[in-house]
Amino acid sequence: MEPTISAVIMAYNEEQSLEGTFAELATVLKELKSPYEIVIIDDGSTDKTGISADRLAHHDNVRVIHHYINQRLGAVYRTGFKEARWEYI
């Protein structure tokens, strides 16, 4: 049985790099040929990271979670573990 993967992108003010990070990650995951999802967590960014993340949500297997205020790294990890649907995170 193939492993299933939840990849979590933690983003805070990553407007300039989010799409590139997403593209690289999606390429690697597709090459693995295992079921996967990408969960983008916007941690209360003050730039346009949230808008960029929402644009990426149209891709298959992509979900976006917004923290409307910055909750810092520990909260982002908790959200990632809570929201991940697949076997490996």
Side-chain angles (χ1 to χ4, degrees), residues 1 10 20 39 47 49 52 54-56 58 67 69-70 79-80 82 87:
M1 185 168 180
M10 300 175 232
V39 181
D47 64 359
T49 297
S52 295
D54 287 340
R55 270 198 308 264
L56 294 170
H58 80 277
H67 288 173
I69 59 169
N70 180 259
T79 299
K82 177 183 169 197
E87 182 179 9

Side-chain angles (χ1 to χ4, degrees), residues 3-40:
T4 56
I5 302 167
S6 291
V8 179
I9 298 176
M10 300 175 232
Y12 177 71
N13 291 342
E14 300 293 338
E15 175 185 357
Q16 299 298 318
S17 62
L18 181 61
E19 290 184 23
T21 299
F22 169 82
E24 288 181 38
L25 179 60
T27 298
V28 170
L29 290 169
K30 286 176 188 174
E31 288 174 2
L32 294 176
K33 299 189 186 324
S34 292
Y36 72 88
E37 68 172 346
I38 298 174
V39 181
I40 302 171

Side-chain angles (χ1 to χ4, degrees), residues 53-83:
D54 287 340
R55 270 198 308 264
L56 294 170
H58 80 277
H59 292 276
D60 290 338
N61 306 324
V62 176
R63 293 185 295 127
V64 177
I65 311 297
H66 294 279
H67 288 173
Y68 290 99
I69 59 169
N70 180 259
Q71 296 182 26
R72 310 195 42 100
L73 193 56
V76 176
Y77 276 111
R78 284 189 296 277
T79 299
F81 283 115
K82 177 183 169 197
E83 293 293 329

